[in-house]
Amino acid sequence: MNPEKPIWLWKSNNEFVLLELFCILLGVYFLSKIAGFFTHRYEMIQKHGKRLDRLAFRTGCTTEERKILQNFYFNLKQRHRVLLAHNHIKDFLRIHLLHFLTQWKLEAPERFLSLVSKLLDTANHPSQEPQIKEFVLLKQNLMIGFGQIQSQDLGIFSILSADVIFLSHLKTNTKIEISFFRNQRGTLKCSGIVSDKFHRTISILRLPN
């Protein structure tokens, strides 16, 4: 008996069959590349997220604060996550972080301020004064908000804050406390008078210690 002849699924000429086979192989190749890209992206996100969490753990953050930091991390774009995980935060990420902090009420904001200072690489600054672009904690009576120093000249601080509620309750010609972090000394504080408010910028006249 003669063996059965193979049955082609394509009822066409040989050239068209070869073209279809080539297209199928090309499709499989690109699908594998796309799957590999998303797999690599997922692995990178998880790896950097764990690295950031270890950094937060070493700085002494609570479980709640670490969850908040992870939430912020996973809401960033892929390339921003890599910058954050490698401790190289750019200026636009500072703004993202400032807006993010205004949406959460932390039980221990001073401890989270230490984490932010280490991420932004200002915790090791030799000066015992708050520096430009540094994150600070603002306190007036029972109100607390985060801000970022924009300029500093002759004892006058210009501070950017994205917390609209904090700014609306902030009163001019009243005393305000500025807290910042240094690795060797911990949380440092200085006092000032709110001299002016313009949009989201606060002008503070520093008081002598």
Side-chain angles (χ1 to χ4, degrees):
M1 296 177 60
N2 294 327
E4 295 182 358
K5 294 181 179 180
I7 301 175
W8 289 96
L9 297 178
W10 299 277
K11 303 297 183 180
S12 181
N13 55 38
N14 293 335
E15 288 79 6
F16 186 69
V17 170
L18 291 175
L19 180 62
E20 285 189 319
L21 287 174
F22 175 77
C23 291
I24 291 175
L25 292 175
L26 193 64
V28 171
Y29 172 78
F30 280 112
L31 285 175
S32 64
K33 286 292 184 181
I34 294 173
F37 169 77
F38 282 108
T39 301
H40 176 71
R41 183 173 181 268
Y42 175 79
E43 291 175 350
M44 289 288 288
I45 291 173
Q46 296 301 317
K47 181 180 73 174
H48 293 151
K50 292 178 180 178
R51 183 180 301 172
L52 186 63
D53 188 64
R54 287 195 298 268
L55 176 62
F57 178 78
R58 288 197 298 268
T59 58
C61 284
T62 63
T63 303
E64 178 195 0
E65 292 165 341
R66 287 160 59 191
K67 286 181 179 178
I68 291 174
L69 186 62
Q70 288 293 311
N71 191 9
F72 165 69
Y73 172 74
F74 283 105
N75 278 284
L76 291 176
K77 294 182 180 179
Q78 168 69 9
R79 59 194 180 95
H80 297 175
R81 291 176 184 144
V82 176
L83 291 172
L84 183 60
H86 285 285
N87 201 17
H88 297 293
I89 297 183
K90 303 299 181 181
D91 289 340
F92 58 87
L93 276 181
R94 296 173 187 264
I95 302 300
H96 286 307
L97 185 58
L98 185 61
H99 280 277
F100 180 81
L101 289 174
T102 61
Q103 300 173 9
W104 298 86
K105 299 302 179 183
L106 302 176
E107 293 182 357
E110 289 86 356
R111 184 171 292 177
F112 198 76
L113 176 64
S114 69
L115 169 67
V116 173
S117 300
K118 292 178 181 180
L119 289 175
L120 296 177
D121 200 24
T122 58
N124 292 317
H125 199 280
S127 174
Q128 302 305 314
E129 301 288 334
Q131 301 298 306
I132 295 176
K133 296 185 179 180
E134 181 170 0
F135 270 62
V136 293
L137 193 64
L138 304 173
K139 293 183 179 180
Q140 188 178 78
N141 298 327
L142 299 177
M143 297 186 303
I144 297 177
F146 279 91
Q148 182 185 1
I149 295 183
Q150 300 295 296
S151 63
Q152 179 181 358
D153 184 30
L154 299 177
I156 299 178
F157 294 111
S158 178
I159 301 178
L160 174 68
S161 177
D163 194 339
V164 179
I165 298 178
F166 176 77
L167 292 175
S168 63
H169 290 84
L170 197 64
K171 297 180 180 179
T172 57
N173 299 321
T174 55
K175 189 175 180 180
I176 190 170
E177 185 180 84
I178 304 172
S179 301
F180 55 101
F181 182 84
R182 292 291 182 269
N183 271 331
Q184 301 301 324
R185 295 175 176 261
T187 303
L188 303 178
K189 298 179 181 180
C190 61
S191 299
I193 299 293
V194 180
S195 60
D196 193 14
K197 292 192 302 180
F198 179 74
H199 191 43
R200 294 186 176 183
T201 304
I202 315 166
S203 294
I204 298 177
L205 178 62
R206 180 171 181 178
L207 296 175
N209 293 329

